[in-house]
């Protein structure tokens, strides 16, 4: 196959900072499964990103395996996609350094994720500032065309594109300039306890999110407690009714019904009925994922898949890294 006939390359990753929640699933991971049918897909568990904030080593290892199992449980197929752990491929950290030397502190300080994660910290870890450069390395290392992510990563994708273009313009054409891919619905799921904030794995309040592995009681509690408003009508209005709009969004994506259909279905009904039905839809949507997860999580097959994935990812990554080193004159050059 010639270069312009090759399948488009897809790369994305999830941090093993906790269990994947429905925001991660609806915003990013749903796309992973869809794309593997006609793309060349590489999906990573980005553990080096996770240590930009302190992690307990035992928990981190366990979360790496949880996230990998969840990839498989939602339908990522290791025969079609490469699945691997970021720190198993050393080229990520190495390319990240080279890209650091092609980045500006000004653009990194402007990243909204850095601003929000370093807020109220007397001194922010440098890793938080460099996070988007490592993410650019992850993407550029695989000559990625398409990056399926949630809306919150738009600014980081833009930066990866800027860095790639900058290197291509100042050196010879070295990198493929990637495009972000965002869902129309579900691209930004908000926290259940505060619908002005995005749903997040590491938020303190466990009822702010629904994790894919939550049991039925937890799902029920989190949805029934979720913040709405005192207006009492079920309609989509993000500005004035962010809580109800967020629940409508989740309900719509999980059930396959449009928001308009849901609004007319619940016309004249109260939040209680609406939330109870959303609990049922959520439980039935997540049940098959949990079942598959339990089958895989402690299997030898999981480790084999990750080892095989690391080997295949590494073979691609070392080639790109050598190409970049040649462009910069690093080392003794390709043999
Ligand atoms: N709330 C969200 N709605 C839609 N998509 C989301 N994503 C994250 N939160 C939402 C997307 O999920 C993918 C994996 O995210 P990540 O683990 O790499 O990091 P994150 O964006 O920082 O996610 P979290 O859950 O908020 O983790 P913590 O709490 O550790 O920072 C990405 O594609 C992301 O866009």
């Amino acid at each position: 196959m010639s270069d312009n006939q090759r399948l488009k390359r897809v790369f994305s990753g999830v941090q093993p900072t906790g269990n994947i929640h429905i925001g991660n699933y609806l915003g990013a991971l749903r796309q992973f499964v869809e794309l593997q049918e006609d793309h060349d897909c590489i999906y990573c568990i980005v553990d080096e990103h996770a240590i930009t904030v302190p992690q307990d080593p035992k928990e981190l290892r366990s979360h790496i395996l949880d996230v990998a199992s969840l990839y498989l449980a939602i339908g990522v197929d290791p025969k079609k996609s490469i699945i691997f752990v970021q720190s198993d491929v050393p080229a990520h950290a190495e390319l990240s350094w080279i890209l650091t030397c092609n980045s500006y502190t000004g653009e990194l300080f402007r990243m909204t994720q850095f601003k929000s994660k370093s807020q109220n910290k007397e001194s922010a870890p440098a890793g938080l500032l460099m996070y988007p450069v490592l993410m650019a390395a992850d993407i550029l290392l695989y000559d990625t065309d398409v990056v399926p992510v949630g809306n919150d990563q738009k600014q980081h994708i833009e930066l990866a594109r800027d860095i790639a273009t900058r290197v291509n313009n100042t050196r010879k054409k070295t990198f493929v300039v990637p495009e972000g891919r965002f869902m129309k619905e579900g691209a930004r799921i908000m926290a259940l306890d505060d619908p002005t904030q995005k749903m997040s794995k590491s938020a303190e309040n466990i009822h702010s999110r629904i994790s894919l592995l939550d049991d039925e009681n937890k799902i029920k509690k989190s949805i029934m407690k979720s913040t709405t408003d005192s207006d009492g009508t079920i309609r989509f209005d993000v500005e004035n009714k962010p809580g109800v709009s967020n629940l409508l969004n989740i309900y719509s994506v999980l059930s396959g019904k449009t928001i308009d259909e849901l609004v007319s279905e619940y016309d004249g009904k109260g939040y209680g009925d609406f939330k109870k039905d959303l609990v049922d839809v959520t439980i039935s949507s997540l049940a098959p994922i949990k079942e598959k997860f339990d089958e895989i999580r402690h299997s030898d097959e999981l480790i084999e898949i990750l080892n095989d994935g690391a080997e295949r990812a590494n073979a691609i990554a070392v080639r790109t890294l050598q190409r970049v080193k040649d462009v910069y004159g690093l080392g003794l050059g390709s043999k």
Side-chain angles (χ1 to χ4, degrees), residues 114-157:
F114 170 73
K115 286 189 200 165
S116 67
K117 291 209 170 179
S118 60
Q119 213 176 20
N120 305 326
K121 286 197 168 71
E122 210 171 286
S123 175
L128 271 185
L129 184 67
M130 302 316 300
Y131 180 109
V133 181
L134 178 58
M135 179 165 156
D138 299 338
I139 297 167
L140 301 183
L141 202 50
Y142 296 97
D143 290 335
T144 302
D145 300 291
V146 183
V147 191
V149 278
N151 260 356
D152 60 312
Q153 294 297 330
K154 250 184 188 161
Q155 204 185 20
H156 291 167
I157 301 287

Side-chain angles (χ1 to χ4, degrees), residues 254-289:
L254 290 179
S255 66
K257 294 180 184 172
T258 65
I259 288 184
D260 286 347
E261 279 168 352
L262 290 171
V263 169
S264 38
E265 194 177 323
Y266 287 95
D267 186 23
K269 293 189 183 161
Y271 292 160
D273 289 335
F274 173 66
K275 285 182 174 179
K276 268 189 218 142
D277 290 350
L278 177 57
V279 169
D280 292 341
V281 167
T282 308
I283 290 174
S284 60
S285 306
L286 300 188
I289 297 178

Side-chain angles (χ1 to χ4, degrees), residues 36 72 76-83 301 305 308 312:
Q36 69 184 350
L72 298 167
V76 176
D77 179 351
K79 293 198 187 79
K80 297 178 182 161
S81 303
I82 295 178
I83 306 171
E301 193 195 347
I305 290 169
D308 174 64
R312 288 158 66 201

Side-chain angles (χ1 to χ4, degrees), residues 238-257:
V238 175
E239 205 169 305
N240 298 305
K241 296 173 69 64
V244 173
S245 303
N246 189 39
L247 295 180
L248 274 168
N249 207 357
I250 297 170
Y251 198 150
S252 164
V253 190
L254 290 179
S255 66
K257 294 180 184 172

